[in-house]
Amino acid sequence: MEMMAINENLIMTHCELEDITKHLDNRISSLRRVFDLRIIAKDQDKRIILGKISQDLLTVDGLLDQFEKCVCSQRDLLKHLKELEEYFHEDVQNGRYLRDHMPTHMPRKGPTANQGPVSESGLVDVQPNKQEHPRKTPKNHVKQMEFITSPEFESIPQYMKGRVTYDQLNAAVENINTALTGKYKVCHQPVKNMNNATRKLHQRFKEEENKETKGRFFIVEADIKEFTQMKVDKRFVSILNMLRHCQRLREQRGQGLTRYVLV
């Protein structure tokens, strides 16, 4: 065992001596080249060549500096592109999420440009623009109720919403629009082209109008039953309260009838 340890020490010492010897040989070779160059530099012609080599080395050194700057610039550009790639992937994920979670009912338009701030009572302070002229609507135009937006739905008190969901509320808006379209399609028909059933409906519609509803679009519960499959029950009453809270309609009572007038 002692002999093996001695041999190992000798091997390690031999390797270290080889490294030291190699290092010394390299230093001696370098010194010899320096002396050779000093001897060459004494010759005038060769000194000119060495000067040109020196200029070439300076040129190469300058090119290396420019190359290093270019590499740094490209490295920074690559880093920036990777950041943009991350943002792009994030936008793609957000877009896919929006595509997969698209609401069933989308509002058709946002607030108008002349819409003012919301007051404490929740009413919108509308400031009319004197320079704008009101657009003329077609004679047979039927006003439609705007769908409820998510912020509007969140603003409804929980006791008023109950178990009614966002989609159910907008489904009711769609049914009300269907009833409006069916009712005023009959109103806009020439009387001479009506059959007996349509003429009776037309007569009922005329009888339900009064001074307060003149020029406005409204429906009654009978219109919901006539033109839609929606049930007129306690949930329907709750939905009407929510729509009134969101300023989509108002109630007008008279002659034993409740009219739901579009705002």
Side-chain angles (χ1 to χ4, degrees), residues 54-108:
S54 177
Q55 292 295 327
D56 292 340
L57 288 174
L58 291 175
T59 302
V60 172
D61 186 63
L63 292 175
L64 288 175
D65 289 339
Q66 294 181 6
F67 180 75
E68 185 177 0
K69 292 179 180 179
C70 183
V71 170
C72 293
S73 176
Q74 293 297 321
R75 186 183 294 114
D76 294 338
L77 179 61
L78 179 61
K79 181 180 178 181
H80 180 64
L81 290 175
K82 288 183 178 180
E83 292 177 354
L84 290 178
E85 184 180 14
E86 292 177 0
Y87 292 144
F88 174 75
H89 285 308
E90 184 177 354
D91 291 339
V92 170
Q93 292 177 359
N94 292 336
R96 289 175 178 173
Y97 179 84
L98 291 175
R99 181 196 62 188
D100 298 336
H101 297 80
M102 185 70 68
T104 307
H105 305 90
M106 292 289 291
R108 284 187 291 273

Side-chain angles (χ1 to χ4, degrees), residues 19-151:
D19 293 337
I20 293 172
T21 303
K22 186 176 180 181
H23 177 70
L24 291 175
D25 289 339
N26 292 333
R27 294 299 301 272
I28 292 170
S29 297
S30 299
L31 291 173
R32 285 176 178 175
R33 292 193 187 94
V34 171
F35 282 115
D36 292 339
L37 290 173
R38 288 185 65 185
I39 295 172
I40 294 173
K42 294 179 180 179
D43 190 341
Q44 187 64 29
D45 295 334
K46 293 179 180 178
R47 184 180 295 177
I48 295 174
I49 296 173
L50 289 175
K52 292 181 179 179
I53 293 174
S54 177
Q55 292 295 327
D56 292 340
L57 288 174
L58 291 175
T59 302
V60 172
D61 186 63
L63 292 175
L64 288 175
D65 289 339
Q66 294 181 6
F67 180 75
E68 185 177 0
K69 292 179 180 179
C70 183
V71 170
C72 293
S73 176
Q74 293 297 321
R75 186 183 294 114
D76 294 338
L77 179 61
L78 179 61
K79 181 180 178 181
H80 180 64
L81 290 175
K82 288 183 178 180
E83 292 177 354
L84 290 178
E85 184 180 14
E86 292 177 0
Y87 292 144
F88 174 75
H89 285 308
E90 184 177 354
D91 291 339
V92 170
Q93 292 177 359
N94 292 336
R96 289 175 178 173
Y97 179 84
L98 291 175
R99 181 196 62 188
D100 298 336
H101 297 80
M102 185 70 68
T104 307
H105 305 90
M106 292 289 291
R108 284 187 291 273
K109 65 179 182 179
T112 57
N114 60 352
Q115 184 174 352
V118 179
S119 63
E120 294 181 357
S121 61
L123 299 177
V124 177
D125 184 13
V126 178
Q127 299 178 356
N129 190 348
K130 296 181 181 179
Q131 297 180 353
E132 293 183 358
H133 299 283
R135 294 182 180 180
K136 294 182 179 180
T137 55
K139 184 178 179 181
N140 296 337
H141 169 74
V142 179
K143 185 177 180 180
Q144 298 286 286
M145 181 181 294
E146 297 295 332
F147 288 115
I148 304 298
T149 63
S150 295

Side-chain angles (χ1 to χ4, degrees), residues 144-186:
Q144 298 286 286
M145 181 181 294
E146 297 295 332
F147 288 115
I148 304 298
T149 63
S150 295
E152 287 178 316
F153 183 76
E154 295 298 329
S155 69
I156 300 174
Q158 185 59 43
Y159 75 88
M160 190 179 293
K161 286 190 290 188
R163 296 184 178 180
V164 177
T165 64
Y166 174 79
D167 289 335
Q168 290 172 343
L169 180 58
N170 276 320
V173 172
E174 190 171 6
N175 281 318
I176 291 173
N177 287 334
T178 301
L180 284 165
T181 302
K183 172 182 177 178
Y184 286 96
K185 183 179 179 181
V186 173

